Amino acid sequence: MKKILLSALVLTIFGSCKNESETVKMTTIDYPETNKIDTVDTYFGESVADPYRWLEDDRSKETEAWVKNQNDVTFGYLEQIPYREELKKRLTKLWNYEKIGAPFVEGDYTYFSKNDGLQNQSVIYRYKTGGDPKTAEVFLDPNTFKEDGTISLGGMSFSKNGKTLAYAISEGGSDWRKVLVLNAETNEIIEDTLVDIKFSGMSWYKNEGFYYSSYDKPKGSELSAKTDQHKVYYHKLGTKQSEDKLVFGSTPEEKHRYIGGGVTEDDKYLVIVASVSTSGNKLFIKDLSQPNSKLVTILDHTNSDSHIIENVGSKLYIMTNLGAPNQKIITVDASNPTPENWVDFIPETENVLSPSTAGGYFFANYMVDAVSKVSQYDYNGKLIREVELPGIGTVAGFGAKKDETELYYSFANYVTPGSIYKYNIENGTSELYRKPSIDFNPEDYESKQVFYKSKDGTKVPMIITHKKGIKLNGKNPTILYGYGGFNISLTPSFSIANAVWMEQGGVYAVPNLRGGGEYGKAWHDAGTQLKKQNVFDDFIAAAEYLISEKYTSSDFLAVRGGSNGGLLVGATMTQRPDLMKVALPAVGVLDMLRYHTFTAGAGWAYDYGTAEDNKEMFEYLKGYSPVHNVREGVKYPATLVTTGDHDDRVVPAHSFKFAAELQSKQTGTNPTLIRIETDAGHGAGTPVSKTIEEYTDIFGFTLYNMGFEVLPTKTEEKVKG
């Protein structure tokens, strides 16, 4: 049993570092025993040991016992942090404000989501359209699904007349869904529950039924077994799920890992999008107005991301990055829809396009250095106006039905809590609809964008946010957060948790790393497969910038990221353990040789490649795989690995094996702990109570290991340990 000595009592206040002359009490962490079992894989003639393979069995008693023992040690450590409860109180207080979502119309009613403040799940309300919103009544309350809030609402879809609702639920954060069908007028469940649905929306055809996607139920563990053959079904109201019609995905030549089926707003076409990976898709349509019509191929390859976003009769409007890395919109007739017949509608620009439609117009949402800019076009491609936005930040929600005259969009940035605006589609005016009442003053903070150079000279943007007037003395506790993958863009957004971090004097920095989508397909591809090291180099360079500009130093820097961002943290801390004081990998992809053998992991190969591709790819993956690059005798930063026992996106075995490797090989006094949330998945639908507890522990662990004690807000007295 490995032991490590730790400082158990820190006598300094937040804002000053630990004095060497201070007397500290020492305590001992006894890490649980993690058995090593001889397991060896051979890749291209090279043997690779995997001693913790047994932790991949999420149903075994041995793994269950290991999880319990690790949590006992972790929470035993966290409970000794003297200001842990103060952090929780402040997070709880700031979290406790009313949060209301943008309204939307279905049938005779206007719906919106609302959370009173600390409800585990947001509640769906409604009122008669045209009536007083103050008369809104509860329509669907996910808090009633389970007392502790661990069953969440996973999606909603109304029939075309708004009288029937199909809604999905997630149990324990799992990606697997159950779908219930509700009479929206009487609030009564009208059918048996549909089960075993995954990575799927529900798209209605008229008022008769809906399309959805799922996999065959896997053999073995539903939380970790490989899912490889996605299929689209049609469920007709009043029939059993066993009678649902298989629409696409039934033959080996149609084998795809992700398939979606959606019906156009006018019910004319069924659109099928089929992918083998998270990037690139085939595209098909079926004319639903013609009985027994065949599926028509628009794209028979996966060399682009292409989606139908609108149609006027047989005229299709397609968003695509085929030959346009920053995306454009083209038009084509459904009678002859292949690329040689495409005509540019909104051409590609130097900025990445994300279009939507509302009220008979197109809204082109562009990213300009990760910040939103919106242009409005008519159906002839004529620019109507540049939409005046409330400020510099991120907007979302420029979408509505064709007959709508107004839409609602949200605006936020790192210091501005999300507010909702009502937009008049014809005259282009915005008015504030809902502004949250929160105990946070944006005027006390500043957020600025900088550009720094990565290792190979590439210019990378980063937004740094903190309280106004901080001293650039290298002693500010700083969280560097990153992702860098899967064409996902990190745009300015507001976080209650980060607000607490910053009000205590912390700096929050977010670089837009290669692998993301901030500058289109070229930026994404520059951080994939044999170029993945670019992402880690960009992140390391961001840390070095913060240190050189004296925002922080290695003694006060924490690196954080989740999922692909967890890989980012794992790779960075194993390559440059000297760079940071604290590492916070969350639900990370950490075993790069086996990630593709679990659930839908094989679909991530566009970004990563797999160890089975060829010798070069195997060696490249092994060269940065966090699980395989923990070295004996290295002093790694204080590390808190976080995951959920129901995570079937990135299975927790990644985190289990990484924590075991660190505990076995870590030298020095920095702790290596793993916090395993029960009845929790990859993050979506996590109850508010669990989220607050997790941030309490993340921030407490971070500050404690930097040698800080938290000052309470709005008082000069320090927290008594």
Side-chain angles (χ1 to χ4, degrees):
M1 187 173 292
K2 188 162 182 180
K3 299 181 179 181
I4 190 166
L5 293 176
L6 295 164
S7 168
L9 182 62
V10 183
L11 302 177
T12 54
I13 63 170
F14 193 120
S16 63
C17 60
K18 191 161 51 183
N19 189 305
E20 291 181 1
S21 65
E22 292 174 285
T23 302
V24 295
K25 179 182 177 182
M26 304 303 290
T27 189
T28 302
I29 285 186
D30 291 340
Y31 292 123
E33 289 278 1
T34 304
N35 292 332
K36 293 183 178 182
I37 298 176
D38 288 337
T39 306
V40 177
D41 292 315
T42 302
Y43 300 87
F44 303 98
E46 181 176 338
S47 297
V48 179
D50 192 3
Y52 303 120
R53 175 78 60 85
W54 62 273
L55 287 169
E56 294 178 2
D57 186 353
D58 55 86
R59 299 182 300 173
S60 76
K61 293 294 184 182
E62 292 79 8
T63 301
E64 182 182 0
W66 186 88
V67 167
K68 180 183 183 303
N69 291 337
Q70 289 286 346
N71 270 344
D72 286 346
V73 169
T74 296
F75 286 104
Y77 175 92
L78 294 170
E79 286 165 3
Q80 72 178 323
I81 296 174
Y83 40 79
R84 185 176 182 228
E85 282 305 309
E86 289 297 326
L87 270 173
K88 184 176 181 180
K89 286 178 183 177
R90 181 54 189 157
L91 279 161
T92 302
K93 182 179 179 182
L94 192 58
W95 219 289
N96 192 14
Y97 70 93
E98 187 179 72
K99 307 164 191 70
I100 296 180
F104 58 96
V105 177
E106 297 289 352
D108 297 331
Y109 291 91
T110 297
Y111 295 81
F112 62 91
S113 65
K114 185 176 80 168
N115 191 306
D116 291 341
L118 296 175
Q119 290 175 289
N120 276 322
Q121 304 290 342
S122 293
V123 179
I124 308 300
Y125 288 79
R126 74 174 180 185
Y127 60 92
K128 281 280 190 179
T129 300
D132 186 352
K134 293 181 181 179
T135 65
E137 296 179 339
V138 173
F139 172 67
L140 187 63
D141 184 359
N143 295 290
T144 64
F145 296 168
K146 193 175 181 183
E147 187 176 350
D148 63 0
T150 56
I151 297 180
S152 60
L153 184 63
M156 297 171 56
S157 181
F158 284 87
S159 61
K160 296 300 173 77
N161 61 12
K163 294 183 178 180
T164 312
L165 169 69
Y167 69 92
I169 61 172
S170 168
E171 297 172 311
S174 170
D175 282 330
W176 289 100
R177 302 287 193 260
K178 294 178 179 178
V179 171
L180 295 88
V181 181
L182 184 78
N183 182 321
E185 296 182 311
T186 65
N187 270 40
E188 295 176 327
I189 300 294
I190 58 175
E191 293 196 345
D192 292 337
T193 300
L194 281 67
V195 298
D196 298 330
I197 295 173
K198 188 173 184 180
F199 297 150
S200 176
M202 294 81 70
S203 184
W204 285 84
Y205 174 61
K206 298 183 178 178
N207 305 301
E208 300 172 6
F210 54 88
Y211 294 88
Y212 67 90
S213 305
S214 193
Y215 300 90
D216 293 335
K217 197 173 183 69
K219 297 178 181 178
S221 170
E222 192 173 86
L223 294 177
S224 60
K226 191 172 184 177
T227 49
D228 217 26
Q229 173 87 345
H230 217 197
K231 299 176 182 179
V232 174
Y233 294 87
Y234 176 69
H235 176 72
K236 184 175 177 61
L237 288 185
T239 64
K240 296 180 179 179
Q241 186 178 8
S242 59
E243 299 171 4
D244 289 353
K245 181 182 178 182
L246 178 59
V247 176
F248 190 91
S250 59
T251 61
E253 59 267 22
E254 289 180 326
K255 185 174 181 180
H256 300 94
R257 295 189 179 97
Y258 312 106
I259 306 175
V263 180
T264 55
E265 188 175 337
D266 62 0
D267 283 320
K268 183 171 176 58
Y269 295 107
L270 169 66
V271 180
I272 298 287
V273 176
S275 308
V276 294
S277 191
T278 49
S279 290
N281 64 274
K282 298 177 185 178
L283 188 61
F284 310 88
I285 57 169
K286 178 181 173 67
D287 189 344
L288 297 176
S289 67
Q290 299 297 321
N292 303 315
S293 62
K294 293 183 178 181
L295 210 61
V296 174
T297 300
I298 298 177
L299 286 169
D300 63 357
H301 59 76
T302 59
N303 299 333
S304 71
D305 298 288
S306 300
H307 303 273
I308 295 174
I309 58 172
E310 179 63 295
N311 73 294
V312 177
S314 64
K315 186 177 183 179
L316 308 177
Y317 295 81
I318 301 175
M319 176 187 72
T320 183
N321 60 12
L322 185 63
N326 290 338
Q327 305 210 119
K328 63 181 179 179
I329 301 176
I330 64 91
T331 60
V332 70
D333 194 270
S335 63
N336 205 0
T338 48
E340 61 269 20
N341 300 304
W342 290 3
V343 177
D344 281 4
F345 175 68
I346 297 179
E348 181 190 24
T349 71
E350 62 182 355
N351 299 309
V352 180
L353 169 66
S354 298
S356 56
T357 62
Y361 291 91
F362 286 86
F363 290 88
N365 190 338
Y366 291 99
M367 269 189 299
V368 182
D369 294 327
V371 173
S372 293
K373 174 186 174 184
V374 180
S375 302
Q376 184 175 347
Y377 292 85
D378 66 17
Y379 273 53
N380 295 314
K382 178 185 175 183
L383 176 64
I384 302 301
R385 63 178 62 89
E386 303 290 346
V387 177
E388 185 176 349
L389 300 178
I392 297 174
T394 302
V395 295
F398 274 89
K401 296 184 177 72
K402 279 185 180 179
D403 59 358
E404 303 271 355
T405 59
E406 57 192 22
L407 59 80
Y408 296 85
Y409 68 89
S410 63
F411 171 81
N413 57 36
Y414 290 118
V415 298
T416 305
S419 297
I420 298 172
Y421 291 80
K422 182 164 66 173
Y423 180 80
N424 185 298
I425 296 173
E426 283 299 325
N427 64 32
T429 57
S430 292
E431 62 179 90
L432 183 64
Y433 177 76
R434 291 280 186 180
K435 182 180 180 180
S437 178
I438 179 175
D439 184 19
F440 178 84
N441 183 11
E443 297 301 317
D444 294 339
Y445 299 84
E446 61 180 304
S447 190
K448 72 174 183 177
Q449 187 174 60
V450 300
F451 292 85
Y452 64 91
K453 286 187 177 181
S454 189
K455 183 179 180 179
D456 63 358
T458 298
K459 187 171 71 170
V460 182
M462 174 166 58
I463 296 180
I464 306 170
T465 311
H466 52 75
K467 260 187 179 178
K468 291 179 179 177
I470 68 164
K471 295 180 180 179
L472 300 184
N473 58 8
K475 295 182 179 180
N476 300 299
T478 298
I479 290 178
L480 178 64
Y481 180 88
Y483 190 80
F486 295 90
N487 200 39
I488 290 174
S489 303
L490 296 186
T491 58
S493 61
F494 184 77
S495 161
I496 302 169
N498 290 336
V500 171
W501 174 260
M502 291 187 298
E503 75 174 2
Q504 299 294 334
V507 175
Y508 185 69
V510 182
N512 297 110
L513 313 173
R514 280 174 283 185
E518 292 86 352
Y519 295 104
K521 186 171 176 57
W523 192 254
H524 174 208
D525 287 349
T528 61
Q529 297 193 25
L530 297 176
K531 298 177 182 177
K532 188 66 179 177
Q533 184 61 40
N534 286 337
V535 185
F536 313 140
D537 289 342
D538 290 355
F539 200 54
I540 290 168
E544 291 173 336
Y545 176 90
L546 293 169
I547 292 169
S548 68
E549 296 298 314
K550 297 192 180 302
Y551 284 95
T552 191
S553 65
S554 293
D555 287 335
F556 304 108
L557 176 65
V559 291
R560 183 165 184 258
S563 196
N564 176 74
L567 163 62
L568 172 69
V569 172
T572 301
M573 65 178 283
T574 51
Q575 292 181 16
R576 287 291 307 276
D578 61 304
L579 192 58
M580 74 292 296
K581 181 64 178 177
V582 177
L584 303 165
V587 293
V589 186
L590 299 163
D591 184 344
M592 298 310 297
L593 301 188
R594 287 182 55 76
Y595 78 87
H596 61 292
T597 65
F598 305 109
T599 62
W604 311 335
Y606 183 94
D607 265 57
Y608 299 145
T610 76
E612 297 167 358
D613 289 348
N614 53 60
K615 185 177 182 182
E616 182 184 23
M617 185 63 76
F618 154 67
E619 291 176 343
Y620 192 85
L621 289 167
K622 183 172 178 286
Y624 74 78
S625 175
V627 165
H628 299 91
N629 283 278
V630 180
R631 310 297 181 195
E632 289 277 5
V634 175
K635 182 181 179 181
Y636 290 102
T639 304
L640 181 62
V641 181
T642 53
T643 189
D645 68 346
H646 276 61
D647 190 346
D648 50 2
R649 185 85 56 84
V650 180
V651 296
H654 285 274
S655 296
F656 295 173
K657 292 202 280 187
F658 188 54
E661 289 283 354
L662 284 168
Q663 290 178 356
S664 173
K665 297 174 180 176
Q666 166 76 299
T667 191
T669 60
N670 290 330
T672 298
L673 301 172
I674 180 167
R675 185 187 188 279
I676 306 155
E677 188 65 75
T678 55
D679 284 328
H682 200 59
T686 301
V688 165
S689 58
K690 286 182 178 286
T691 302
I692 290 173
E693 290 168 357
E694 182 177 38
Y695 274 111
T696 296
D697 292 338
I698 288 170
F699 290 165
F701 179 88
T702 299
L703 296 171
Y704 189 58
N705 280 282
M706 289 178 177
F708 288 107
E709 184 172 311
V710 176
L711 283 173
T713 307
K714 299 179 181 178
T715 176
E716 295 180 356
E717 294 182 9
K718 72 174 185 177
V719 175
K720 294 179 173 60

mmCIF file of all heavy atoms in Angstrom, residues 235-255:
data_model
loop_
_atom_site.group_PDB
_atom_site.id
_atom_site.type_symbol
_atom_site.label_atom_id
_atom_site.label_comp_id
_atom_site.label_asym_id
_atom_site.label_seq_id
_atom_site.Cartn_x
_atom_site.Cartn_y
_atom_site.Cartn_z
ATOM 1 N N HIS A 235 -41.699 5.044 -35.626
ATOM 2 C CA HIS A 235 -42.705 4.585 -34.661
ATOM 3 C C HIS A 235 -44.045 5.238 -34.983
ATOM 4 O O HIS A 235 -44.188 6.460 -34.944
ATOM 5 C CB HIS A 235 -42.296 4.961 -33.237
ATOM 6 C CG HIS A 235 -43.341 4.606 -32.220
ATOM 7 N ND1 HIS A 235 -43.608 3.305 -31.851
ATOM 8 C CD2 HIS A 235 -44.219 5.382 -31.511
ATOM 9 C CE1 HIS A 235 -44.584 3.286 -30.953
ATOM 10 N NE2 HIS A 235 -44.973 4.541 -30.739
ATOM 11 N N LYS A 236 -45.025 4.429 -35.316
ATOM 12 C CA LYS A 236 -46.378 4.921 -35.583
ATOM 13 C C LYS A 236 -47.172 4.916 -34.286
ATOM 14 O O LYS A 236 -47.173 3.925 -33.546
ATOM 15 C CB LYS A 236 -47.073 4.041 -36.633
ATOM 16 C CG LYS A 236 -48.461 4.531 -37.037
ATOM 17 C CD LYS A 236 -49.026 3.687 -38.165
ATOM 18 C CE LYS A 236 -50.448 4.111 -38.533
ATOM 19 N NZ LYS A 236 -50.510 5.510 -38.995
ATOM 20 N N LEU A 237 -47.807 6.031 -33.984
ATOM 21 C CA LEU A 237 -48.590 6.121 -32.753
ATOM 22 C C LEU A 237 -49.634 5.004 -32.693
ATOM 23 O O LEU A 237 -50.244 4.641 -33.704
ATOM 24 C CB LEU A 237 -49.288 7.472 -32.666
ATOM 25 C CG LEU A 237 -48.422 8.699 -32.383
ATOM 26 C CD1 LEU A 237 -49.300 9.929 -32.214
ATOM 27 C CD2 LEU A 237 -47.560 8.498 -31.151
ATOM 28 N N GLY A 238 -49.793 4.445 -31.500
ATOM 29 C CA GLY A 238 -50.782 3.400 -31.291
ATOM 30 C C GLY A 238 -50.276 2.003 -31.549
ATOM 31 O O GLY A 238 -51.038 1.044 -31.440
ATOM 32 N N THR A 239 -48.977 1.875 -31.893
ATOM 33 C CA THR A 239 -48.405 0.551 -32.137
ATOM 34 C C THR A 239 -47.305 0.265 -31.118
ATOM 35 O O THR A 239 -46.796 1.163 -30.453
ATOM 36 C CB THR A 239 -47.821 0.441 -33.556
ATOM 37 O OG1 THR A 239 -46.722 1.359 -33.694
ATOM 38 C CG2 THR A 239 -48.882 0.771 -34.601
ATOM 39 N N LYS A 240 -46.923 -0.995 -31.028
ATOM 40 C CA LYS A 240 -45.859 -1.395 -30.114
ATOM 41 C C LYS A 240 -44.493 -1.113 -30.736
ATOM 42 O O LYS A 240 -44.345 -1.111 -31.965
ATOM 43 C CB LYS A 240 -45.981 -2.887 -29.794
ATOM 44 C CG LYS A 240 -47.260 -3.248 -29.054
ATOM 45 C CD LYS A 240 -47.319 -4.751 -28.773
ATOM 46 C CE LYS A 240 -48.580 -5.123 -28.017
ATOM 47 N NZ LYS A 240 -48.659 -6.592 -27.760
ATOM 48 N N GLN A 241 -43.481 -0.916 -29.867
ATOM 49 C CA GLN A 241 -42.136 -0.668 -30.372
ATOM 50 C C GLN A 241 -41.633 -1.839 -31.217
ATOM 51 O O GLN A 241 -40.884 -1.637 -32.185
ATOM 52 C CB GLN A 241 -41.171 -0.388 -29.213
ATOM 53 C CG GLN A 241 -39.778 0.017 -29.687
ATOM 54 C CD GLN A 241 -38.828 0.337 -28.546
ATOM 55 O OE1 GLN A 241 -39.148 0.111 -27.371
ATOM 56 N NE2 GLN A 241 -37.654 0.849 -28.867
ATOM 57 N N SER A 242 -42.039 -3.052 -30.874
ATOM 58 C CA SER A 242 -41.611 -4.233 -31.631
ATOM 59 C C SER A 242 -42.113 -4.194 -33.077
ATOM 60 O O SER A 242 -41.581 -4.899 -33.944
ATOM 61 C CB SER A 242 -42.106 -5.506 -30.954
ATOM 62 O OG SER A 242 -43.520 -5.517 -30.856
ATOM 63 N N GLU A 243 -43.116 -3.361 -33.345
ATOM 64 C CA GLU A 243 -43.661 -3.235 -34.692
ATOM 65 C C GLU A 243 -43.059 -2.061 -35.463
ATOM 66 O O GLU A 243 -43.420 -1.819 -36.623
ATOM 67 C CB GLU A 243 -45.181 -3.067 -34.618
ATOM 68 C CG GLU A 243 -45.893 -4.245 -33.961
ATOM 69 C CD GLU A 243 -47.363 -3.953 -33.697
ATOM 70 O OE1 GLU A 243 -47.838 -2.860 -34.094
ATOM 71 O OE2 GLU A 243 -48.034 -4.806 -33.089
ATOM 72 N N ASP A 244 -42.138 -1.311 -34.833
ATOM 73 C CA ASP A 244 -41.557 -0.135 -35.486
ATOM 74 C C ASP A 244 -40.810 -0.534 -36.749
ATOM 75 O O ASP A 244 -40.114 -1.561 -36.791
ATOM 76 C CB ASP A 244 -40.612 0.597 -34.534
ATOM 77 C CG ASP A 244 -41.361 1.306 -33.415
ATOM 78 O OD1 ASP A 244 -42.608 1.335 -33.467
ATOM 79 O OD2 ASP A 244 -40.701 1.813 -32.497
ATOM 80 N N LYS A 245 -40.941 0.276 -37.775
ATOM 81 C CA LYS A 245 -40.372 -0.017 -39.082
ATOM 82 C C LYS A 245 -38.909 0.406 -39.138
ATOM 83 O O LYS A 245 -38.568 1.553 -38.822
ATOM 84 C CB LYS A 245 -41.160 0.706 -40.169
ATOM 85 C CG LYS A 245 -40.654 0.447 -41.577
ATOM 86 C CD LYS A 245 -41.469 1.240 -42.599
ATOM 87 C CE LYS A 245 -40.928 1.032 -44.011
ATOM 88 N NZ LYS A 245 -41.690 1.841 -45.001
ATOM 89 N N LEU A 246 -38.035 -0.514 -39.534
ATOM 90 C CA LEU A 246 -36.629 -0.196 -39.742
ATOM 91 C C LEU A 246 -36.504 0.545 -41.070
ATOM 92 O O LEU A 246 -36.867 0.026 -42.124
ATOM 93 C CB LEU A 246 -35.786 -1.471 -39.753
ATOM 94 C CG LEU A 246 -34.293 -1.307 -40.009
ATOM 95 C CD1 LEU A 246 -33.648 -0.416 -38.957
ATOM 96 C CD2 LEU A 246 -33.612 -2.675 -40.043
ATOM 97 N N VAL A 247 -35.980 1.755 -41.027
ATOM 98 C CA VAL A 247 -35.937 2.616 -42.207
ATOM 99 C C VAL A 247 -34.568 2.620 -42.873
ATOM 100 O O VAL A 247 -34.459 2.617 -44.097
ATOM 101 C CB VAL A 247 -36.329 4.061 -41.820
ATOM 102 C CG1 VAL A 247 -36.196 5.007 -43.014
ATOM 103 C CG2 VAL A 247 -37.741 4.097 -41.265
ATOM 104 N N PHE A 248 -33.504 2.606 -42.065
ATOM 105 C CA PHE A 248 -32.146 2.705 -42.619
ATOM 106 C C PHE A 248 -31.158 2.078 -41.632
ATOM 107 O O PHE A 248 -31.275 2.263 -40.432
ATOM 108 C CB PHE A 248 -31.779 4.178 -42.851
ATOM 109 C CG PHE A 248 -30.506 4.388 -43.621
ATOM 110 C CD1 PHE A 248 -30.524 4.502 -44.996
ATOM 111 C CD2 PHE A 248 -29.286 4.474 -42.967
ATOM 112 C CE1 PHE A 248 -29.359 4.712 -45.720
ATOM 113 C CE2 PHE A 248 -28.111 4.669 -43.668
ATOM 114 C CZ PHE A 248 -28.151 4.781 -45.051
ATOM 115 N N GLY A 249 -30.180 1.336 -42.205
ATOM 116 C CA GLY A 249 -29.121 0.769 -41.378
ATOM 117 C C GLY A 249 -29.222 -0.722 -41.185
ATOM 118 O O GLY A 249 -28.681 -1.256 -40.225
ATOM 119 N N SER A 250 -29.883 -1.426 -42.100
ATOM 120 C CA SER A 250 -30.167 -2.844 -41.874
ATOM 121 C C SER A 250 -29.177 -3.798 -42.525
ATOM 122 O O SER A 250 -29.128 -4.966 -42.174
ATOM 123 C CB SER A 250 -31.571 -3.174 -42.394
ATOM 124 O OG SER A 250 -31.656 -2.873 -43.787
ATOM 125 N N THR A 251 -28.386 -3.327 -43.498
ATOM 126 C CA THR A 251 -27.500 -4.233 -44.218
ATOM 127 C C THR A 251 -26.047 -3.874 -43.960
ATOM 128 O O THR A 251 -25.731 -2.727 -43.619
ATOM 129 C CB THR A 251 -27.770 -4.167 -45.732
ATOM 130 O OG1 THR A 251 -27.507 -2.825 -46.184
ATOM 131 C CG2 THR A 251 -29.209 -4.526 -46.043
ATOM 132 N N PRO A 252 -25.138 -4.831 -44.120
ATOM 133 C CA PRO A 252 -23.721 -4.566 -43.850
ATOM 134 C C PRO A 252 -23.159 -3.387 -44.628
ATOM 135 O O PRO A 252 -22.349 -2.617 -44.114
ATOM 136 C CB PRO A 252 -23.044 -5.877 -44.257
ATOM 137 C CG PRO A 252 -24.097 -6.919 -44.083
ATOM 138 C CD PRO A 252 -25.383 -6.251 -44.453
ATOM 139 N N GLU A 253 -23.603 -3.204 -45.854
ATOM 140 C CA GLU A 253 -23.070 -2.096 -46.644
ATOM 141 C C GLU A 253 -23.586 -0.742 -46.165
ATOM 142 O O GLU A 253 -23.075 0.308 -46.544
ATOM 143 C CB GLU A 253 -23.386 -2.274 -48.129
ATOM 144 C CG GLU A 253 -24.857 -2.378 -48.463
ATOM 145 C CD GLU A 253 -25.346 -3.815 -48.499
ATOM 146 O OE1 GLU A 253 -24.686 -4.669 -47.866
ATOM 147 O OE2 GLU A 253 -26.362 -4.088 -49.166
ATOM 148 N N GLU A 254 -24.636 -0.763 -45.334
ATOM 149 C CA GLU A 254 -25.161 0.473 -44.760
ATOM 150 C C GLU A 254 -24.690 0.664 -43.316
ATOM 151 O O GLU A 254 -25.237 1.478 -42.591
ATOM 152 C CB GLU A 254 -26.691 0.455 -44.775
ATOM 153 C CG GLU A 254 -27.307 0.599 -46.153
ATOM 154 C CD GLU A 254 -28.825 0.583 -46.099
ATOM 155 O OE1 GLU A 254 -29.376 -0.135 -45.249
ATOM 156 O OE2 GLU A 254 -29.445 1.291 -46.902
ATOM 157 N N LYS A 255 -23.677 -0.068 -42.909
ATOM 158 C CA LYS A 255 -23.245 -0.024 -41.515
ATOM 159 C C LYS A 255 -22.598 1.322 -41.196
ATOM 160 O O LYS A 255 -21.596 1.701 -41.789
ATOM 161 C CB LYS A 255 -22.260 -1.157 -41.237
ATOM 162 C CG LYS A 255 -21.843 -1.265 -39.787
ATOM 163 C CD LYS A 255 -20.973 -2.495 -39.563
ATOM 164 C CE LYS A 255 -20.573 -2.633 -38.110
ATOM 165 N NZ LYS A 255 -19.737 -3.827 -37.882
#
